[in-house]
Amino acid sequence: MASRFFLTLSFMLYLSPFVLGYSVNDLKTWCSQTPNPQPCEDLLSHNKNQIPIKQKSQFFQISTQLALDRAMHAQTNFLLLGSKFENPRAKAAWDDCLELYDHTIHKLNTTINPSTKCTQEDAQTWLSTALTNLQTCREGFSELGVSDFFLPAMSNNVSNLISNTLSINYVPYNPQPAYKDGFPTWVNPGNRKLLQSTSPKANLVVAKDGSGNYKTVAEAITAASKRSGTARYVIYVKAGTYKENVVIKSENIMLMGDGIGKTIITGSKSVGGGSTTFNSATVAVTGDGFIARDITFQNTAGVSNNQAVALRSGSDLSVFYKCSFEGYQDTLYVYSDRQFYKECNIYGTVDFIFGNAAVVLQNCNIYVRNHKTNTITAQGRSDPNQNTGISIHNCKVMAASDLVLSSTKTYLGRPWREYSRTVFMKTYLDSLINSAGWLEWSGTFALKTLYYGEYMNTGPGSSTSGRVKWAGYHVITSSSEASKFTVNNFIAGSSWLPATNVPFTAGL
């Protein structure tokens, strides 16, 4: 906390004289261009000096700094509330919020740090994550049935300010970020060489039988967090079933197993069992640049315990290759930032691929388990300027072995948030898909503002003749429109995936 506070003060000095004050006319002109002009005017007008804002870049820096300051203020107030939570469920939601506010402050700090040299697309990604974090904080209380009466005053203003920064920094579709030598500008040269290793050797070995450095994955992650530097660190997890919950906060960690069904990390935390969705994950990753391959991630809580996450990724530029994600409701939480999944298996029932990342799933097998009503996706984009969405490309959607077609209905997705965005492209849809294709969340909520698309899908469930007639639903016929959701354009994958040695298709 102290180090981040010091960093914020240094940014205040960096932004001078712009953060010192503005004329009333300038203030109204600039703030009127944002979706939430009132908090912009109210907070900026407290400054006394009259210095004009001449460039949009200045206004973006000022607005992001303002959001950062208010986030830090809200976090301080939130910390003081800790003693008020005697209910264990309320305490669970509060703990999540502390982590989420800390992560939000980190993302905002990184965005305006002059040494980061991030692109517009990087900034839009991290601001999207910051806004998602605050939404998740509020949701934790509601899903556990705990009053969140104190949250609006502290978090709504911060959310509005972050929404303003997203609007100011908005990047149109098909962004082409500035990368140097195939890497983001903020990845240092030392890491570039290490990331390009064609045969990564394990720094640590995990083995249940004691033949490795550690017997649990969590112990190995703790050891990795103490290493010097942030170079790629490979942890080989030998075949076996590891019953544990793992949190990975360090950057550039790689978990390498012995294959799907051989190396298994399993847990059973759930909302029904008293956890928040966010904290129910068997494995949760927040450190950027994470890679996993040849591993099964499980949550065995079952249908009756509601939300129960097998894996949650909030790791920017993360990759999952030849992995399996097994659960029921909310199996794979593609939480935030930019992610890529290749040749993976995903099993579930309700909303089992969900979250607010910018993510592409390619050549994956999606297996629907038995449940009365199934929804494959629930994408959580809450702001029209977030660069997020779920793109399912060249995959297969099929029934799991337990699914009974005659007593179930399965849909491609439903809108968790107002600007929910999901596309299925060149994907095989088996006969389990309901002819309507998509399901409402609640009445007419989001049906005009969402973006759902289907492009050149195949299989008995791919016919669009009986699909929903929502304003936000699209049968995509243009390759240029579909190309917006490819690896190259949606997550700029051609610029960073080659370094991971994971195969991918850049275009359609």
Side-chain angles (χ1 to χ4, degrees), residues 396-419:
K396 293 180 180 179
V397 177
M398 299 169 288
S401 59
D402 66 337
L403 187 134
V404 181
L405 281 174
S406 60
S407 60
T408 61
K409 291 184 177 180
T410 298
Y411 300 87
L412 298 174
R414 59 177 181 158
W416 183 22
R417 292 285 167 250
E418 188 173 4
Y419 297 94

Side-chain angles (χ1 to χ4, degrees), residues 257-303:
D258 277 325
I260 290 175
K262 294 179 180 178
T263 298
I264 302 168
I265 307 175
T266 184
S268 59
K269 292 172 70 175
S270 66
V271 170
S275 295
T276 59
T277 300
F278 182 79
N279 199 38
S280 70
T282 299
V283 175
V285 188
T286 58
D288 292 342
F290 178 76
I291 300 175
R293 62 176 297 167
D294 296 307
I295 294 177
T296 292
F297 301 90
Q298 282 183 347
N299 191 310
T300 60
V303 176

Side-chain angles (χ1 to χ4, degrees), residues 170-212:
Y170 175 69
V171 182
Y173 260 131
N174 295 338
Q176 298 296 330
Y179 288 89
K180 183 179 179 181
D181 301 327
F183 293 85
T185 55
W186 43 272
V187 174
N188 66 54
N191 280 348
R192 293 173 191 170
K193 185 175 181 179
L194 287 161
L195 285 168
Q196 287 175 311
S197 174
T198 55
S199 54
K201 295 182 179 179
N203 298 95
L204 290 177
V205 177
V206 179
K208 288 181 66 66
D209 61 7
S211 61

